[in-house]
Every structure is written in structure tokens, then in C-alpha cells.
Amino acid sequence: MKPQGIPPTTTRISQTKMSFRGKNAVVTGGAGGIGLQVSKQLLAAGAAKVAIIDLQDNLEEFVKLRAAHPTQSVMIVKMDVANKKGVEATYEEIAKTFGNIDIVVNVAGIFNDKDVQRTLLVNLGGIINSTLSALPYMGKDNGGKGGIVVNMSSVVGLDPMFIIPVYGATKAGIINFTRCLANEKYYQRSGIKFVTVCPGATMTDMFTNFTEKIIFPETSDETYRILDRLNKQSAADVSRCILNVLEKDKNGAVYVIEGKRVYPLEMKPQWTGKEQAL
């Protein structure tokens, strides 16, 4: 599944690790899937401290993480990203423990189009809650060092897929939210860069009981046909690409991740009537 408008040039995954050495990072949805793989990649690349925010438990993997990186700090916080006040308190706790936050990777998300409110609150609300809660501890205008926030959307936030309209709407919202924060005026003040990544089909728990979570059951047969045709990548593939995106450090960029590669997108303005400057 490849959205329209992807330029022919692609970027292969970089193996450079030094840029993460000594950095402090937060990963939402880090108990499994892409989030867990991102946490592993950051620690392997030399991050000093990694905080994982997730409502789910994965004690076995957390024990392995700490055992594999005994000189680095792995902080686990059980929290629902849809809980705004809880997320704010979580970031306050992380900042007190870490001292500063350099990197945030927001991965937490669910798929259940039948539960519209929960999907909106977790997928879009959770990204917004985590991002805005991190800013006071990262922004140079508030005593921080600046940094970078990577928010995970999806290719279905770029190109509509009729079988998952609610999920797709949340992912489209993430792209717009993140690009808004990447405004140069904000960056000059805060020193924080904002990037969006849009993975293609990825083997995660999202595909479990997929047709039981779609809005229109009459599309089940077509849904199975679509899922069978998708070229699926692994969570580890996506995580390596996310680290590559972090290394690029390009404010406002939007990337598709598919087939173990990172594709930068050119997001052209569509609204010609807006003022050039506020």
C-alpha cells in the first residue's frame, strides 16, 4: 500500500547511533509492537534514559530491556494516554527523574472503529495529550534544551481506506496537528522540532480480530481480500526507520515508512487564500 505523491527517491535506514548517546527519551505505547521496538532501538543506540508510557503491562520484556542495558535507565509508567491529567502528571514525574527530555516518540494507538469515542480519545487525544504535556519540559523558552517529537500517524491518514474511516480520521488529524506545531515561529521560541511518520501495513496486534472491529460488517469479505493483498512489514523494520527519521532532525517533515524504507513527502499547500504571516 503506497500513497500517491511519493517521490521516486528513497532513503535507506542509517546505522549511525552516536546522535542518541546520552539523550533522554519518552515513548508512548512502548509495552509492545512498534513502541517496544523503538524503545529497544533507542537504548541500543546509546540513549541514557528511556521512559515507557503504556496502559498495558509487559513485565517479561521490561525485565529483558533492563537486563540488556544495565547502565541505562528504563522507567515504566502505567498510564492511559487518553487521561489528560494523568499524562501531565506522568511527564512531571519523568522530568523530575530524568532532569530533561530530549526525544518524544508517540506511538500509542488502538484500532476499533466500533468504539468511536475510545478511538478518538486514544489515537488523536493521546497524541495531543502527550505532545502538549512534554512541551513545558523540553522548550528552551521554559528552561529546557529543545528536542524533537515524532508522532506516529499512518498511510491511511494520507489516503482514505474505506473500511477504517474512524481510525483513518484520527491518523489524518495527527498529521495536521503535528505540522501545525512545526511552525517556524514555535521552533524559534522553543527549539522543539516536530515530525510525522506514516507507516504502511505493519504486523502488530491491530490485525487481531480485525473484522470484528470494523463499522460496516457487510464489508468483511472485501476487508479480508484487502488485508491479504497488503505488503506487511515488521514492527522492528518500522522502529529502525523511526530512528533514521530522528537522525534527520527535520522540523515539519512527513515521512511514509514502507518496505524498510523512509519516503519523505512533499506536503503542498492547498488553501491559497490564507494570509502568508500571522
Side-chain angles (χ1 to χ4, degrees):
M1 179 168 56
K2 187 173 293 184
Q4 296 177 357
I6 296 177
T9 57
T10 62
T11 305
R12 292 187 179 275
I13 300 166
S14 170
Q15 299 301 319
T16 304
K17 298 180 180 180
M18 291 300 295
S19 60
F20 302 104
R21 193 162 300 281
K23 298 292 179 63
N24 299 336
V26 178
V27 181
T28 69
I34 295 171
L36 177 61
Q37 294 300 321
V38 168
S39 301
K40 289 180 177 181
Q41 290 289 330
L42 284 167
L43 289 164
K49 302 170 185 176
V50 174
I52 294 173
I53 302 174
D54 205 313
L55 187 59
Q56 306 301 318
D57 286 318
N58 195 344
L59 182 59
E60 182 179 351
E61 286 293 343
F62 296 155
V63 169
K64 289 179 181 178
L65 270 182
R66 286 172 167 151
H69 304 280
T71 63
Q72 294 153 278
S73 175
V74 179
M75 180 179 180
I76 310 298
V77 183
K78 187 173 183 178
M79 177 55 59
D80 181 358
V81 292
N83 181 345
K84 180 177 181 291
K85 291 189 179 297
V87 173
E88 290 172 346
T90 295
Y91 270 95
E92 182 179 7
E93 179 185 357
I94 292 169
K96 286 180 180 178
T97 303
F98 284 7
N100 66 283
I101 299 170
D102 304 296
I103 298 166
V104 174
V105 182
N106 286 313
V107 177
I110 63 170
F111 170 71
N112 188 347
D113 268 23
K114 283 187 175 179
D115 193 341
V116 175
Q117 291 303 313
R118 182 63 179 164
T119 299
L120 292 171
L121 288 171
V122 174
N123 290 7
L124 182 55
I127 290 275
I128 293 173
N129 290 341
S130 177
T131 300
L132 297 184
S133 296
L135 301 190
Y137 306 104
M138 298 178 71
K140 292 181 178 179
D141 53 332
N142 203 38
K145 298 180 179 180
I148 184 168
V149 176
V150 174
N151 288 334
M152 194 174 81
S153 176
S154 167
V155 290
V156 300
L158 294 164
D159 289 343
M161 178 174 280
F162 75 95
I163 59 175
I164 48 175
V166 178
Y167 179 83
T170 65
K171 296 302 182 176
I174 291 167
I175 297 170
N176 199 300
F177 169 73
T178 310
R179 292 181 67 207
C180 284
L181 292 183
N183 184 280
E184 186 64 19
K185 293 180 185 297
Y186 292 158
Y187 175 69
Q188 291 300 327
R189 186 180 69 200
S190 69
I192 305 172
K193 297 178 179 179
F194 296 89
V195 179
T196 313
V197 293
C198 303
T202 306
M203 291 304 300
T204 67
D205 290 342
M206 173 180 165
F207 287 100
T208 303
N209 301 322
F210 192 91
T211 56
E212 296 177 12
K213 297 178 285 188
I214 59 177
I215 293 178
F216 308 114
E218 64 272 19
T219 65
S220 293
D221 290 344
E222 179 65 14
T223 297
Y224 279 121
R225 287 193 291 270
I226 290 172
L227 295 180
D228 286 342
R229 290 197 302 265
L230 294 177
N231 293 318
K232 302 176 185 70
Q233 57 197 344
S234 72
D237 293 335
V238 173
S239 71
R240 285 190 289 268
C241 288
I242 289 175
L243 257 69
N244 182 241
V245 164
L246 284 166
E247 288 174 337
K248 293 178 185 301
D249 202 31
K250 186 176 180 181
N251 191 36
V254 180
Y255 299 96
V256 166
I257 297 175
E258 194 163 45
K260 304 181 183 181
R261 293 186 177 184
V262 178
Y263 300 81
L265 295 184
E266 182 182 0
M267 307 297 287
K268 295 181 179 180
Q270 303 297 321
W271 180 23
T272 58
K274 69 178 179 179
E275 295 292 334
Q276 293 299 311
L278 295 178

